[in-house]
Structure formats: C-alpha cells, structure tokens
Amino acid sequence: MDEKSNGIPHGYMTVGQLAKKMDVTVRTIQYYDKRGILPPSSVSEGGRRLYTDKDFVKLHQIQSLKYLGFSLEQIKQVLPTMSNPEEVSSILVKQIKQLRDKISSLTDSLEALEAFAQEVTTMEKVDWAAYADIIMLLQSNSELYWTRKHFSEKVTTHVANLYEAEIGELVQEQNLLLEEAEQLHLAGVAPDSTQGQRFAQRFWQVVMQIVGDNTHLLNEFADIATKYGDKKWKAKQSFIEKALDFYLSNNQEQVERGEI
C-alpha cells in the first residue's frame, strides 16, 4: 500500500479529516469509537486511527439514526442490518411507534403540568402531599390523575391507603378497561349487548376494588368523573354509564347483598 507524503495510506483518512468531511467534531467520532459504534478501519504505525469511505457512510447512518430518535445503544444493535431494506423498514416502523407513544405521553404530561402551574398561582401554599399521587399517576401514564386533585379529605385518606397497597395493578387494569370502552364505543357495540355487559361486569369489579367497603364513596367518585373528566374520558363515559346502568339494574339484588 503506497504512502502519501503525510504518512497516511492511500484510501484512508484521519479522524480529523473524517470529522471535517462529515462536519462533526473530532470528539464526536472519538466518542463513537469509545462506545464501539464506529471503530477505525485501521491504525497507522504511529498509532493514528484511520478511516475509509465505508466509515464515512457508516457515520452518515449513525447521524441519521440519531436524528430519528435512536439511542446510541439502539444504533449499535441495528447498524449491522442497515444494508437490508426489509430490516431497515422494520426498524423504522418500530421507532415510529415508540416516538408516537412518547409524543402522546409527553402531551399528557404537558397538559397536566400546565394545569398544575395554573392552579399553583392561586395558592398561598403548595400542598405537595396532595399532589404526590398526581405525579405518581402521571409517571404511570394514567388517565385518572385529575381525579386526585378533586378528592375530599375522606376520599383522599381512602385512596392514599389504597395507593400504598395496590394502585399500580389497579391503575393498569383501569387503563386497559378505558381503552376497551373506547374500542367498543367506536365499534358500535351496544352497552346492553353480551359483549357490553361482560365489559360492565369487569368494570364494576374494579370499581368495587377501589371503594371496598366504603360504598358511600361511589356517588363522590361518580361526581368527580362527571365534573372533571378530560376529553378522552368523557368520550367513553356515555358507553360506560349505559353499560353499568343496565348491568346493575339486572343484578340489583346481588348488588344490594354485596355479592357483586
């Protein structure tokens, strides 16, 4: 292999030359090298790290994937398959879904934070104890975070005890039911149909897990949902109410005896 006057073999470039060609910093390339994402194709006798045009293309891929929201660990995993169009398409479809989920989650968090910020301006003192559960529910991506703001003291005490025990499991189950309610509503399923009543039965079971023996809290929970529910909730509320009304009227004796 012929040597150029500057000691660099033909077809190779230094890290500085690659950085200039790609318009990135030398430290960026060095960092990619350290992470095992862009190692040099060769090392000169003097210890200089050398790169080729293939490395230039690889650096393009890395920068493009970073722009699309991939982490460096993800990039390291997918780079070996980037020459296969089907693999690239599959990778991008998965990333699109992840980004959409992230955008949805961030939008919900932003709306909650804006509402919280607005409320704080009217307070003489911020009651962080009252808002701790809201933050927790936001972190779990729950649609029900708004209910915690409007609980009375008796409900707050009851729910706080419940949170310590099983809120994670109940919130997850509640979210799944809310998603199902939306799907059933959009599919035109009748609330009094067999499918609608199976949903009502499971929804009522979760409600009873939440209130426990404190059935006197049912009306307050219902009032909170009606008054403060967000747009997503209110879009499903009609289906849920109709399904529950039909379910409870057909099982009135069991409800009164506390059997369901």
Side-chain angles (χ1 to χ4, degrees):
M1 188 178 291
D2 295 334
E3 297 281 334
K4 291 185 177 182
S5 58
N6 60 4
I8 304 302
H10 179 72
Y12 288 82
M13 67 188 92
T14 65
V15 64
Q17 291 170 332
L18 176 60
K20 184 176 181 180
K21 186 175 183 179
M22 188 64 191
D23 194 24
V24 299
T25 66
V26 169
R27 292 185 66 180
T28 295
I29 298 175
Q30 291 173 335
Y31 182 67
Y32 292 162
D33 179 9
K34 184 177 180 180
R35 294 290 298 269
I37 300 173
L38 186 64
S41 291
S42 184
V43 180
S44 70
E45 293 181 0
R48 303 180 75 176
R49 308 176 85 74
L50 305 175
Y51 297 85
T52 65
D53 285 339
K54 287 185 178 180
D55 297 318
F56 175 69
V57 172
K58 192 173 182 181
L59 182 54
H60 256 300
Q61 293 173 334
I62 294 170
Q63 294 296 90
S64 297
L65 290 172
K66 274 194 64 181
Y67 176 79
L68 293 174
F70 286 81
S71 68
L72 290 182
E73 190 59 36
Q74 288 175 311
I75 292 172
K76 186 176 181 179
Q77 292 175 3
V78 304
L79 270 179
T81 63
M82 290 302 289
S83 60
N84 184 325
E86 290 184 1
E87 288 286 348
V88 173
S89 176
S90 175
I91 290 166
L92 293 178
V93 167
K94 290 179 182 178
Q95 184 66 5
I96 288 169
K97 183 182 184 305
Q98 290 180 8
L99 288 177
R100 282 178 174 164
D101 290 344
K102 184 180 291 186
I103 289 170
S104 177
S105 176
L106 289 173
T107 299
D108 290 343
S109 295
L110 177 60
E111 290 176 355
L113 288 171
E114 288 175 340
F116 188 15
Q118 184 64 34
E119 290 181 16
V120 167
T121 60
T122 65
M123 298 177 182
E124 294 182 4
K125 181 181 179 181
V126 179
D127 185 358
W128 285 106
Y131 280 89
D133 295 322
I134 297 175
I135 295 171
M136 184 190 72
L137 289 172
L138 279 172
Q139 290 173 337
S140 66
N141 294 324
S142 171
E143 292 181 333
L144 303 179
Y145 74 89
W146 45 265
T147 61
R148 179 63 177 85
K149 296 189 299 183
H150 306 289
F151 285 160
S152 67
E153 185 174 351
K154 63 182 179 181
V155 180
T156 297
T157 301
H158 171 73
V159 174
N161 293 333
L162 180 66
Y163 285 164
E164 293 178 3
E166 53 185 330
I167 185 61
E169 182 179 342
L170 285 176
V171 164
Q172 183 178 16
E173 189 170 358
Q174 184 76 37
N175 284 340
L176 290 174
L177 285 169
L178 289 173
E179 290 177 7
E180 184 178 348
E182 183 175 21
Q183 292 168 2
L184 293 173
H185 174 69
L186 292 175
V189 173
D192 59 353
S193 66
T194 300
Q195 192 175 5
Q197 287 305 286
R198 286 175 182 167
F199 166 84
Q201 181 182 29
R202 287 182 286 118
F203 194 91
W204 181 249
Q205 288 171 348
V206 172
V207 169
M208 294 310 296
Q209 281 183 276
I210 294 175
V211 300
D213 295 331
N214 300 279
T215 54
H216 60 281
L217 298 178
L218 283 172
N219 289 336
E220 187 164 352
F221 274 95
D223 290 342
I224 291 169
T226 300
K227 186 175 182 180
Y228 297 109
D230 60 14
K231 292 179 180 178
K232 289 183 178 180
W233 166 261
K234 289 179 178 178
K236 310 161 191 173
Q237 188 174 4
S238 177
F239 176 86
I240 295 172
E241 286 183 347
K242 290 176 181 178
L244 281 178
D245 285 346
F246 192 82
Y247 175 75
L248 295 175
S249 64
N250 283 344
N251 298 276
Q252 187 173 359
E253 292 184 4
Q254 292 97 316
V255 171
E256 291 176 352
R257 292 196 299 266
E259 295 176 356
I260 60 173

